């Protein structure tokens, strides 16, 4: 790499170029995000995978050293998203389960009761702007009675409590990098460069969902990751935290259709097939930010923008940094045999300056059941 401080993009003569730290030079940028979006419509993310992904996020939140308000905010966000997606799926099927509607309305009402009580008692934020639409009496002592009536009415109408939606068994992070609390803060931009190994499949057919994912530390950034399940073909998936509900799932494309983006990377003289990504979040002006994901196009020798989204980030959320870097994430604490997977050449730039991922700013964690085959401090690892 030529320098530890470089402007991410520049536009001489109207042509956009992006900096490639691995080559130490600027290369051409082309926007193919619309084509990627259209291609993804043929390979939608399944409801099973969505539930697995959200449950993993819940596990990450519960195990992280977060402030109470940040933990509550993220958990409520995930829960609301799951409910919105469930309702949307029912509408697309053209049929509605009256029992689910009744339960959803009751759950929302209970959440609003709790939110309004926190606000009235001086607790941390409500998390629900629409709570003002609920009659004041609901949020007094009658709230407890109302909740009980909801549950009793449901039992009377449907012959007992509705069983919960089946969820995969919660697991945890298998191996990876976590940003330390109060470290790697930034003001205007955070950009992560990384290679992800794209093995033919996860290994054993018994393996459930396995994600090779990361954030770039920004509060509402993207996760651009490779998703595995058993012996199925892996896919590139992009999940954008700045959007809402089902619209967060932006890209879902089998790796076999991304041949022009695949590289051969050698570690200890062993070749691995990878894709090379940039996960970039930056302030455009004031409260306006943009998320962009780039793939390095090996054939055309350029960076392709495969997803981008502009959004407003409320100032109170600017310090709500996400904390997981490159990780191999599995649902089961002790996975079955998996193929060799991991990351290479992870490089973080914040406010256009290289931030080395040294032990004073990150933790490297590994659960039992994973064998660490290769490790290059601060940038690369392979597990099996």
């Amino acid at each position: 790499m030529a320098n530890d401080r470089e402007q991410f993009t520049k536009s001489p003569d109207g042509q956009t170029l992006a900096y490639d730290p691995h080559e130490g030079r600027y290369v051409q940028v082309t926007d193919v995000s619309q084509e990627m979006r259209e291609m993804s419509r043929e390979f939608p993310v399944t409801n099973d995978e969505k539930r697995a992904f959200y449950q993993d996020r819940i596990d990450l939140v519960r195990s992280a050293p977060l402030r109470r308000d940040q933990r509550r905010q993220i958990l409520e966000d995930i829960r609301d998203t799951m409910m919105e997606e469930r309702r949307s799926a029912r509408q697309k099927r053209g049929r509605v389960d009256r029992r689910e509607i009744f339960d959803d309305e009751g759950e929302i009402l209970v959440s609003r009761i709790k939110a309004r009580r926190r606000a009235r008692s001086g607790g941390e934020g409500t998390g629900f702007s629409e709570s003002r639409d609920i009659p004041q009496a609901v949020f007094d002592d009658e709230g407890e009675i109302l909740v009980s009536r909801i549950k009793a009415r449901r039992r009377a109408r449907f012959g007992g409590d509705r069983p919960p939606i089946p969820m995969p068994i919660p697991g945890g992070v298998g191996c990876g990098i976590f940003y330390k609390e109060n470290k790697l803060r930034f003001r205007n931009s955070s950009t992560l460069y990384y290679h992800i190994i794209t093995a033919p499949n996860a290994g054993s057919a018994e393996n459930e969902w396995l994600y090779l994912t990361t954030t770039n530390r920004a509060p509402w950034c993207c996760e651009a990751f490779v998703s595995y399940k058993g012996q199925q073909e892996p896919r590139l998936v992009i999940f954008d935290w700045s959007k809402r509900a089902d619209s967060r799932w932006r890209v879902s494309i089998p790796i076999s259709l991304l041949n022009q983006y695949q590289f051969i990377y050698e570690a200890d003289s062993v070749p691995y097939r990878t894709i090379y990504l940039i996960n970039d979040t930056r302030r455009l002006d004031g409260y306006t930010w943009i998320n962009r994901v780039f793939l390095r196009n090996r054939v055309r020798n350029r960076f392709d923008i495969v997803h981008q989204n502009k959004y407003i980030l409320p100032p109170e959320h600017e310090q709500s940094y996400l904390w997981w870097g490159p990780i191999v994430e599995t649902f089961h604490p002790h996975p079955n045999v998996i193929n060799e997977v991991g990351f290479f050449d992870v490089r973080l730039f914040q406010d256009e300056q290289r931030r080395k991922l040294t032990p004073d700013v990150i933790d490297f964690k590994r659960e039992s059941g994973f064998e660490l085959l290769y490790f290059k401090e601060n940038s690369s690892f392979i597990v099996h």
Side-chain angles (χ1 to χ4, degrees):
M1 174 177 165
N3 296 292
D4 281 349
R5 187 177 183 88
E6 287 286 352
Q7 182 179 343
F8 176 53
T9 59
K10 60 182 182 180
S11 302
D13 304 322
Q15 182 183 33
T16 301
L17 304 175
Y19 186 66
D20 185 344
H22 298 98
E23 297 187 11
R25 66 185 182 91
Y26 285 88
V27 298
Q28 179 185 352
V29 172
T30 300
D31 184 358
V32 299
S33 56
Q34 188 58 40
E35 294 119 55
M36 288 290 184
R37 183 69 175 151
E38 290 298 324
M39 190 185 304
S40 296
R41 297 184 194 282
E42 300 180 27
F43 309 97
V45 178
T46 65
N47 290 333
D48 181 32
E49 181 174 7
K50 289 177 182 179
R51 286 194 295 268
F53 182 85
Y54 290 134
Q55 186 61 55
D56 268 356
R57 296 298 155 281
I58 291 170
D59 292 340
L60 278 172
V61 172
R62 287 174 173 167
S63 64
L66 304 176
R67 302 188 315 270
R68 287 182 58 191
D69 60 326
Q70 185 181 6
R71 176 177 285 107
R72 181 188 301 123
Q73 172 194 327
I74 298 175
L75 288 175
E76 288 183 349
D77 181 13
I78 294 172
R79 176 186 173 282
D80 290 348
T81 296
M82 294 177 70
M83 291 175 61
E84 288 175 27
E85 289 188 0
R86 188 171 66 181
R87 285 193 292 270
S88 175
R90 289 199 302 266
Q91 292 173 357
K92 289 178 181 178
R93 292 196 303 265
R95 56 187 175 85
V96 177
D97 187 324
R98 295 171 60 202
R99 181 182 306 184
E100 290 184 349
I101 289 179
F102 187 82
D103 286 351
D104 286 349
E105 291 174 348
E107 290 171 358
I108 293 171
L109 186 56
V110 171
S111 294
R112 290 177 176 175
I113 290 171
K114 293 178 179 178
R116 178 62 69 87
R117 283 180 173 173
R118 286 197 301 271
R120 294 180 64 194
S121 62
E124 295 157 326
T126 67
F128 291 91
S129 59
E130 67 267 38
S131 59
R132 62 182 180 275
D133 298 328
I134 304 300
Q136 184 65 36
V138 169
F139 300 100
D140 295 326
D141 292 337
E142 296 177 10
E144 295 293 342
I145 300 174
L146 181 57
V147 173
S148 297
R149 287 177 178 172
I150 289 173
K151 293 180 178 179
R153 189 177 170 193
R154 178 176 59 192
R155 287 193 296 270
R157 293 178 63 186
F158 304 116
D161 291 324
R162 181 171 61 90
I165 296 175
M167 295 289 286
I169 300 171
V173 174
C175 187
I177 294 171
F178 289 83
Y179 309 120
K180 287 188 175 179
E181 188 178 9
N182 299 321
K183 301 294 184 180
L184 299 173
R185 294 171 173 265
F186 63 93
R187 176 168 176 76
N188 294 314
S189 67
S190 192
T191 308
L192 192 75
Y193 298 80
Y194 54 105
H195 282 260
I196 303 181
I197 293 177
T198 56
N201 52 61
S204 169
E206 300 300 318
N207 280 314
E208 289 297 322
W209 297 106
L210 183 76
Y211 306 129
L212 273 68
T213 188
T214 183
T215 71
N216 62 21
R217 187 64 164 145
W220 288 4
C221 67
C222 291
E223 290 187 62
F225 60 97
V226 174
S227 174
Y228 293 91
K229 185 179 184 182
Q231 294 183 325
Q232 297 177 15
E233 180 184 2
R235 287 173 297 111
L236 170 68
V237 179
I238 297 177
F239 180 88
D240 191 333
W241 284 95
S242 71
K243 299 187 77 67
R244 295 295 306 168
D246 205 42
S247 64
R248 286 176 164 172
W249 301 94
R250 307 307 299 169
V251 169
S252 173
I253 300 176
I255 294 296
S256 63
L257 299 183
L258 300 174
N259 183 61
Q260 62 186 321
Y261 298 103
Q262 296 190 55
F263 291 80
I264 298 298
Y265 190 104
E266 288 195 1
D268 287 344
S269 300
V270 178
Y272 294 90
R273 191 175 293 274
T274 71
I275 53 174
Y276 173 23
L277 302 101
I278 308 175
N279 186 344
D280 177 66
T281 298
R282 61 190 52 240
R283 188 195 306 267
L284 296 178
D285 60 74
Y287 305 137
T288 304
W289 293 71
I290 186 170
N291 287 340
R292 289 180 294 183
V293 176
F294 301 73
L295 273 175
R296 187 72 155 90
N297 191 315
R298 170 183 51 82
V299 175
R300 299 184 181 277
N301 191 28
R302 70 190 189 196
F303 279 116
D304 285 349
I305 300 174
V306 294
H307 167 68
Q308 59 183 329
N309 181 54
K310 293 181 183 179
Y311 57 96
I312 301 298
L313 178 65
E316 63 269 22
H317 290 291
E318 284 193 14
Q319 304 299 312
S320 299
Y321 299 106
L322 297 181
W323 61 95
W324 61 100
I327 57 175
V328 177
E329 186 178 32
T330 177
F331 244 102
H332 298 287
H334 307 290
N336 296 285
V337 175
I338 64 170
N339 287 322
E340 297 177 10
V341 293
F343 296 81
F344 295 122
D345 272 350
V346 178
R347 306 192 191 198
L348 178 66
F349 284 73
Q350 292 182 315
D351 296 329
E352 314 295 5
Q353 185 170 359
R354 173 86 182 271
R355 303 297 298 274
K356 294 185 178 180
L357 301 178
T358 51
D360 60 316
V361 297
I362 63 102
D363 289 314
F364 186 85
K365 300 180 181 179
R366 178 166 62 96
E367 288 184 351
S368 60
F370 282 88
E371 180 184 357
L372 188 61
L373 299 179
Y374 176 83
F375 181 74
K376 185 177 181 181
E377 188 176 7
N378 313 327
S379 67
S380 306
F381 66 90
I382 303 172
V383 295
H384 177 60

